[in-house]
Amino acid sequence: MSIHSNDFLSDYARTLIRVKARQLVRRPEFTACEVDDLEQELTLHILTKVDRFDPARGSLNTYFAR
């Protein structure tokens, strides 16, 4: 399945990715300049795991948050 991340990810998911990346850079093993890289890694992680999403178990936003 070929999905462009801008077509698939909701505003909620993009906001969640930004928030999580900024939380991670507060940890000592990361630096503030890594926030963009972390956002890309989190986006890639979501997109590579999308085949595990089951709409019968919850909404897409719940899947992203978990």
Side-chain angles (χ1 to χ4, degrees), residues 15-31:
T15 299
L16 182 64
I17 289 167
R18 278 193 305 276
V19 168
K20 292 297 182 183
R22 282 167 180 73
Q23 287 174 345
L24 286 170
V25 297
R26 287 189 233 141
R27 298 178 57 99
E29 59 266 29
F30 298 106
T31 63

Side-chain angles (χ1 to χ4, degrees), residues 14-66:
R14 286 190 289 273
T15 299
L16 182 64
I17 289 167
R18 278 193 305 276
V19 168
K20 292 297 182 183
R22 282 167 180 73
Q23 287 174 345
L24 286 170
V25 297
R26 287 189 233 141
R27 298 178 57 99
E29 59 266 29
F30 298 106
T31 63
C33 64
E34 293 178 284
V35 73
D36 290 337
D37 292 336
L38 288 167
E39 287 181 22
Q40 287 178 346
E41 289 291 327
L42 290 167
T43 300
L44 181 62
H45 180 76
I46 286 175
L47 293 175
T48 59
K49 304 294 183 184
V50 72
D51 60 332
R52 295 181 180 183
F53 171 64
D54 179 2
R57 296 184 64 196
S59 74
L60 197 54
N61 285 343
T62 301
Y63 174 77
F64 291 146
R66 297 287 160 219

Side-chain angles (χ1 to χ4, degrees), residues 5-18:
S5 64
N6 289 333
D7 296 336
F8 181 73
L9 295 177
S10 64
D11 288 338
Y12 172 79
R14 286 190 289 273
T15 299
L16 182 64
I17 289 167
R18 278 193 305 276

